[in-house]
Every structure is written in C-alpha cells, then in structure tokens.
Amino acid sequence: MLLVGVILTSCDLELQESFDFVPEVDLTDPFADMTAWEYIQTRTTLNDEGKLSGEELNYMIAAIKKAGFEEYYNQTADTTRTYLLLNNNAFTGNGDIISMVTGSASVADGETPEQVMERVDTPEKLHILRKILSYHIVDEYVAQVPTLAETNVRYYFPTFLTIYDSSIPEEDGVISFYRRERWEMRVNYAPSILPSTATSGGWNEQVRNHNYVFNNGIGHYLNDAVRNRPY
C-alpha cells in the first residue's frame, strides 16, 4: 500500500525545468590564435626567488634569436609542424645544451640567457646550435591522439635537421615517438630502429607537457634535449 501511494503521489510532480549544461572546464585551446614563436616568448616568468624557472623557455628564446630561426617558429604557411619546446632545464641539465654550444657548462652569477648565447661565437658553435633546434622541429603534426593511435608502438618522423642542412643524411634526422597506456609520450624510446646514440646515454626523453595547439602546429615540452646522432 505504501509503494502504491508513493507511485500515485510521484505522478503529481512537475517536470524538471530544462537547463543548459555549462562545463566548468574550458576545453578550447588557449593558444590556438598564436604561433609557436608568439607563445614561446610569453614563457619567461621567474620563480618565487626571482630566478629563472626550469620549466620556462628563457634560454630557448635566446637560442632561437641567436640562430636566426624566428621564422621557423613564426611562419603560418605550414600548420602541421610539431615543436619540441626545450625548457630551461634542457639547457642547464643532463643534456646541457649550453655546454654543447658554448664549450662550457658554467653560467656566471647574473649571466642572462642572452649573454650566454653571446658565447656561441664561432661558425662551428652556431652550426651546432642550429642543428639542435632544427632536430626539435618535426615535419609532421604529432598529437597523442590520433597521431599515436596505438600504444606501445614507435612512430617515426622526419625533423628539420635535414631541411636546415641538406648535406646530413635523411636517416640522421629521424625522430621517434611512443605512447604508453597511461597517455605519456616518450621520444626516441628504446628498443628502436634508431642508433644507440639516440636511445641510450640519457638522450631518450619523456614528454613533460603535451599538446599545446598553435595556429601553425603543436608543441610538447621536453626537460632535456634529444638527438639521433651526436651533434
């Protein structure tokens, strides 16, 4: 009897008013109206101690300017490039780009990224810097999905290394991406058809932050530089 009473009573309830669901999370790409270069130049925030943050891109900005590669990152004719964004740690950490391009890993107290890049003062050093940057631009659009559709599979892509220097064999400019079940991406992850110089000795790297969509491609952050052959 109680159940019947509940049913009969519930029939008298008014229909719930319809409403538009507005999600709390903004799913739009916040940098989709910017080029990679325009975005990179915004990443200069200092840490709480007033020093360079390892996660920001101060050194990459100075390196791109020193190399004269602004147009590589600012062009809009090709929207299918992938930019591997080398944070400050990539310049001062294990891979130590500063050491590779200047001949010394030391940075004097108060020395700015621009001043460090002034030490790239020979054609040979400048050539190495340009090779490093061009290897971190992929000539295809690499998103976690759908590009890396299958997990635990290595996908291979050409970089701008051989576009910058056509004398370099094409296979030396190849890079690999790998996606695990938990969505994390790795670059040049072993085992691979790439040479051991790409996959061992600290030169394979996990992508730190993913899928920064720009109007001229997509970006992923790296905490260390990667390579195929030694620079």
Side-chain angles (χ1 to χ4, degrees), residues 96-107 116 119 125:
D96 203 348
I97 297 174
I98 291 175
S99 178
M100 288 190 285
V101 300
T102 70
S104 172
S106 64
V107 176
V116 170
R119 293 195 269 124
K125 292 177 180 179

Side-chain angles (χ1 to χ4, degrees), residues 62-80:
I64 290 171
K65 290 180 177 179
K66 181 66 178 184
F69 273 12
E70 291 96 331
E71 187 55 29
Y72 272 27
Y73 294 84
N74 202 42
Q75 61 77 41
T76 54
D78 184 355
T79 61
T80 61

Side-chain angles (χ1 to χ4, degrees), residues 39-140:
Y39 168 78
I40 288 168
Q41 292 179 94
T42 69
R43 305 306 303 179
T44 59
T45 304
L46 302 178
N47 62 22
D48 294 338
E49 299 175 352
K51 298 181 179 180
L52 295 182
S53 167
E55 303 293 337
E56 298 290 4
L57 302 174
N58 307 71
Y59 276 107
M60 190 172 190
I61 294 169
I64 290 171
K65 290 180 177 179
K66 181 66 178 184
F69 273 12
E70 291 96 331
E71 187 55 29
Y72 272 27
Y73 294 84
N74 202 42
Q75 61 77 41
T76 54
D78 184 355
T79 61
T80 61
R81 295 180 182 178
T82 299
Y83 303 94
L84 296 178
L85 307 176
L86 295 163
N87 65 18
N88 291 333
N89 286 332
F91 283 81
T92 60
N94 293 333
D96 203 348
I97 297 174
I98 291 175
S99 178
M100 288 190 285
V101 300
T102 70
S104 172
S106 64
V107 176
D109 187 33
E111 188 177 20
T112 67
E114 291 75 20
Q115 290 170 332
V116 170
M117 287 300 145
E118 288 178 4
R119 293 195 269 124
V120 183
D121 52 8
T122 68
E124 292 77 13
K125 292 177 180 179
L126 184 60
H127 182 53
I128 293 173
L129 176 62
R130 288 172 172 167
K131 286 171 68 178
I132 292 171
L133 290 176
S134 58
Y135 186 72
H136 290 81
I137 303 176
V138 179
D139 200 20
E140 291 189 37

Side-chain angles (χ1 to χ4, degrees), residues 164-202:
Y164 158 65
D165 186 347
S166 60
S167 68
I168 298 175
E170 289 187 7
E171 60 269 22
D172 288 2
V174 173
I175 197 171
S176 74
F177 283 84
Y178 170 94
R179 180 168 68 86
R180 290 179 170 176
E181 294 90 343
R182 296 185 178 181
W183 293 85
E184 65 190 46
M185 294 166 58
R186 294 197 71 95
V187 180
N188 292 353
Y189 191 51
S192 171
I193 64 172
L194 298 178
S196 60
T197 52
T199 60
S200 61

Side-chain angles (χ1 to χ4, degrees), residues 8 34 37 80 97 102 129 150 152:
L8 292 175
M34 306 173 70
W37 179 231
T80 61
I97 297 174
T102 70
L129 176 62
E150 295 184 48
N152 301 316

